[in-house]
Amino acid sequence: MIPTIETTRLRLIPPSVHSIAMYEEFYMDAEASSMYGGPLGIEQVWARLKADLGSWHLLGFGIWVVQLKSDNRLLGTCGYWQGRDWPRELTWWILPEARGKGIATEASQAVILHAYNEFKWNTVETYMNDENVAARALVEKLGGTIARRQTFNDGKSRDIYCPNQSSKPL
């Protein structure tokens, strides 16, 4: 069973068929999804949603859908992703109209806390393409520091960030 996490403003819920419109809005928007492999076609969006849900069953972790408690709007995703032969990572995306409001920060703090307290992980890592300035700024806001640089099987090198251990849990 995929747990639900609650914060002051947010409810982090399992992805479901009810999330598809939000996924389509994000992934079919070239600008919004440019750092996440987009834009995607409708079948690719469907496959992405199924992969996000399937991760929970294959790996025991995955992403949550970020829901605003005040009106139940779906705003994006936050959680953990791991491609085959890739390191596990904290990841998120937020719809453009919900950005700049602390949503990604609040959701990320909750899932980091969940990783340490519920999954019993020793560390949380995240990485992004070098040009993803917004993601880098969020990770640094969360106390992330560069642990190493790694070349991935797509041929790109990326900085791997870990939360500052003195701030664990966030």
Side-chain angles (χ1 to χ4, degrees):
M1 185 173 125
I2 303 170
T4 294
I5 300 173
E6 295 207 22
T7 69
T8 304
R9 296 182 296 164
L10 307 174
R11 188 175 297 111
L12 306 177
I13 60 175
S16 73
V17 70
H18 303 293
S19 312
I20 192 65
M22 179 195 62
Y23 271 67
E24 288 171 353
E25 181 179 348
F26 177 78
Y27 280 110
M28 294 176 83
D29 179 325
E31 187 175 336
S33 65
S34 65
M35 296 295 172
Y36 299 87
L40 302 179
I42 199 159
E43 287 301 323
Q44 293 171 302
V45 174
W46 180 243
R48 184 68 55 101
L49 173 59
K50 293 189 307 182
D52 284 349
L53 182 57
S55 176
W56 285 100
H57 299 286
L58 289 172
L59 303 173
F61 61 84
I63 64 94
W64 286 268
V65 169
V66 178
Q67 182 181 51
L68 192 61
K69 283 176 160 181
S70 63
D71 63 8
N72 294 325
R73 274 186 302 144
L74 304 182
L75 305 176
T77 67
C78 186
Y80 298 98
W81 178 88
Q82 185 173 20
R84 187 169 178 182
D85 299 324
W86 287 61
R88 180 180 61 214
E89 71 161 324
L90 168 67
T91 188
W92 62 87
W93 57 258
I94 303 296
L95 292 173
E97 65 269 15
R99 293 178 184 166
K101 299 175 181 168
I103 302 295
T105 302
E106 188 173 329
S108 294
Q109 288 172 325
V111 301
I112 290 168
L113 188 63
H114 189 85
Y116 287 126
N117 293 339
E118 303 302 324
F119 295 153
K120 305 297 184 196
W121 292 351
N122 293 322
T123 190
V124 171
E125 296 182 328
T126 192
Y127 48 86
M128 70 289 300
N129 292 335
D130 289 343
E131 63 274 9
N132 195 340
V133 176
R136 188 174 308 277
L138 176 57
V139 169
E140 290 171 355
K141 183 177 180 180
L142 293 168
T145 57
I146 298 172
R148 66 186 182 281
R149 186 145 178 102
Q150 181 174 331
T151 300
F152 290 72
N153 60 12
D154 65 356
K156 292 183 181 181
S157 292
R158 296 172 179 88
D159 291 330
I160 308 288
Y161 284 79
C162 293
N164 181 334
Q165 292 300 308
S166 66
S167 67
K168 183 181 95 172
L170 294 176

